[in-house]
Amino acid sequence: MSDLQILLFGKFRIRHKGADLTGIEGRKTQELLAYLLIHRSRAHAREVLADLLWGEPGGVQSRKYLRQALWQVQTVLDPCTESDEPTPLVADADWVQLNPVCSIWIDVAQFEEAYLRAQGIPGAELGGPEVERLASAVDLYQGDLLEGCYQDWCIFERERYQNM
């Protein structure tokens, strides 16, 4: 398990080497990081992220908020990486994404993996490792995804995890 853990089920939390980290208390900054973590397999246009989270299509103010939120995320996460590891976020003038080679343990990723590995296997045919993995996934589900967030994208993802 990675030294850097991010928990999105229930109350948003970031842990490094077992200690809770502070610095990302703003709801929108938490939502930004959560969105990037949930959709970690691809890059996201800055314009789309700004519109999605701050709701001002093409607005100068929403892009400013996005820059500030990205800076907060980098300020908290970058010191958690070893000198030989890549930084958690990859960002340029137009695109942002979670670094695919960065080592972060994410509760929703573990939950999804357990679900996908058990998908299509009848309960009676599940072996010990699968049962353990599913039991661990149930333990991870400490509450709904990003409790208190009512953005459309989050409600959709919350329902998806509930269905799992």
Side-chain angles (χ1 to χ4, degrees), residues 20-148:
D20 285 337
L21 292 181
T22 59
I24 302 182
E25 281 75 34
R27 172 60 70 187
K28 291 294 185 185
T29 306
Q30 291 175 0
E31 290 174 16
L32 169 64
L33 180 55
Y35 187 87
L36 292 172
L37 291 167
I38 291 168
H39 303 281
R40 60 196 168 277
S41 63
R42 64 184 182 88
H44 305 276
R46 282 179 178 256
E47 198 72 29
V48 172
L49 290 172
D51 293 350
L52 179 73
L53 296 169
W54 285 274
E56 184 189 336
V60 172
Q61 192 66 32
S62 62
R63 288 193 308 273
K64 176 185 173 192
Y65 291 147
L66 176 63
R67 280 192 308 276
Q68 290 172 334
L70 287 169
W71 177 81
Q72 288 175 347
V73 169
Q74 288 175 316
T75 299
V76 170
L77 297 185
D78 283 359
C80 297
T81 58
E82 300 296 325
S83 59
D84 60 336
E85 286 185 354
T87 59
L89 287 183
V90 177
D92 63 26
D94 298 316
W95 297 90
V96 178
Q97 79 176 91
L98 187 70
N99 195 331
V101 296
C102 186
S103 175
I104 299 175
W105 183 93
I106 311 162
D107 60 351
V108 295
Q110 299 300 310
F111 185 85
E112 288 171 344
E113 182 180 338
Y115 173 79
L116 291 173
R117 286 185 179 218
Q119 191 73 2
I121 302 173
E125 294 178 21
L126 288 172
E130 290 88 8
V131 171
E132 275 186 41
R133 195 175 296 114
L134 288 172
S136 295
V138 169
D139 290 341
L140 290 174
Y141 202 98
Q142 295 295 310
D144 287 334
L145 177 72
L146 289 181
E147 287 181 348

